[in-house]
Amino acid sequence: MKKFKKLAALFLAFAMVIAAIGTGSVTASAKSDYMKSLGVKTGIKVGKEYTFKTKTSFGSATGTWKLKKAKVSDADEDGYKTLTCTLVWTNKMTRPSNSAINKLFNSGGSTWYSGNFWYAVVDKYTGKSLEKSSSKIAKKLDVTVEDSDSTSGYKTYKTSSGNWISYYKKWIVKLTITYPEDYDGLMIGFGSSDKVKSTSADNKFFKGKGKFAKTSYWKSGKSYSRWLYVSNLD
């Protein structure tokens, strides 16, 4: 009887070791949240404006991003969901100096966007953009992003010499994103940049070929973006 108890105890210990190994294997193979590991700011709230600094050809300026509308619903195709949302960038810049206006006017920039600002649709597990349906990551995850944009209002500044510049007050982006209902990696974000022009890494990111951490938006402007887990809208 004592021998039986000893064998039973050994068997139980062996089973516990096997269970622990199995659990460790599952944990190790589980996908990690790449965007969370970067420490990006999350928690975008619908209807709330977020202020960002941005660089322009004449110096610093500010603007706001807002997620104006957002809705997740069943897609036409079974097994898929659709996110429809509207993002709005509003320029908050002040009047440039006369010399800056003259310089911009003479360089052909009479009507322009004031600053470097952006939005993105990203897979949280890889940190790659899903906006290009032709990209490998978008195809692999079976995510389709449709977008349309428009501008609203103009603001014009003139100098005594007759030179002028005019910029758009608002940039309005409408997104329709269709994705598998069991996919929980979808994120949307927006922000600005402390660079006047986008870098090659920025362009690579938007083609779905580079990770967000490689962009200037993260490398030199960690406080210049904000994100939302779409799963939190469900």
Side-chain angles (χ1 to χ4, degrees):
M1 196 70 173
K2 289 181 179 179
K3 187 176 181 180
F4 175 78
K5 286 182 178 180
K6 186 175 182 180
L7 288 173
L10 286 172
F11 178 79
L12 178 60
F14 182 74
M16 290 175 68
V17 170
I18 294 297
I21 292 174
T23 303
S25 176
V26 171
T27 302
S29 63
K31 292 189 293 184
S32 59
D33 188 333
Y34 172 85
M35 295 296 283
K36 183 178 181 180
S37 72
L38 294 182
V40 297
K41 290 183 179 180
T42 58
I44 293 174
K45 295 182 179 180
V46 178
K48 181 177 178 178
E49 284 192 333
Y50 297 89
T51 300
F52 296 94
K53 294 180 181 178
T54 182
K55 285 283 188 177
T56 73
S57 53
F58 62 83
S60 297
T62 60
T64 62
W65 269 114
K66 178 169 68 173
L67 177 59
K68 187 176 180 180
K69 298 177 182 178
K71 180 181 179 182
V72 175
S73 57
D74 292 334
D76 293 336
E77 186 176 353
D78 289 342
Y80 289 80
K81 288 188 175 183
T82 296
L83 165 68
T84 55
C85 62
T86 301
L87 309 174
V88 180
W89 167 264
T90 302
N91 286 312
K92 300 287 187 178
M93 64 172 285
T94 56
R95 189 186 192 283
S97 66
N98 286 338
S99 60
I101 294 174
N102 291 334
K103 183 178 180 180
L104 286 168
F105 182 84
N106 292 327
S107 66
S110 53
T111 302
W112 58 302
Y113 285 110
S114 59
N116 188 350
F117 44 93
W118 54 272
Y119 72 88
V121 181
V122 166
D123 169 48
K124 75 177 184 182
Y125 296 111
T126 63
K128 291 185 176 182
S129 172
L130 300 170
E131 290 181 71
K132 294 289 184 181
S133 58
S134 59
S135 71
K136 290 182 179 180
I137 187 66
K139 285 183 176 180
K140 179 181 178 180
L141 297 173
D142 200 14
V143 176
T144 303
V145 181
E146 299 177 8
D147 64 88
S148 62
D149 69 321
S150 60
T151 57
S152 175
Y154 291 89
K155 178 68 176 181
T156 301
Y157 294 118
K158 298 179 180 180
T159 66
S160 57
S161 61
N163 293 340
W164 58 274
I165 60 168
S166 179
Y167 71 87
Y168 305 106
K169 288 185 177 180
K170 293 181 183 293
W171 182 41
I172 304 161
V173 179
K174 294 184 178 181
L175 297 174
T176 301
I177 307 170
T178 303
Y179 56 97
E181 63 182 7
D182 59 353
Y183 171 57
D184 67 347
L186 186 63
M187 293 184 78
I188 57 174
F190 46 54
S192 61
S193 177
D194 59 354
K195 305 286 185 184
V196 176
K197 295 182 179 180
S198 298
T199 66
S200 58
D202 299 340
N203 296 330
K204 187 176 180 180
F205 164 72
F206 284 116
K207 292 178 181 178
K209 297 180 179 180
K211 295 188 175 185
F212 181 70
K214 299 293 184 180
T215 66
S216 67
Y217 312 128
W218 184 250
K219 292 182 73 173
S220 62
K222 287 182 170 56
S223 63
Y224 287 65
S225 72
R226 193 144 191 144
W227 297 85
L228 171 71
Y229 289 100
V230 172
S231 58
N232 290 341
L233 292 173
D234 293 352

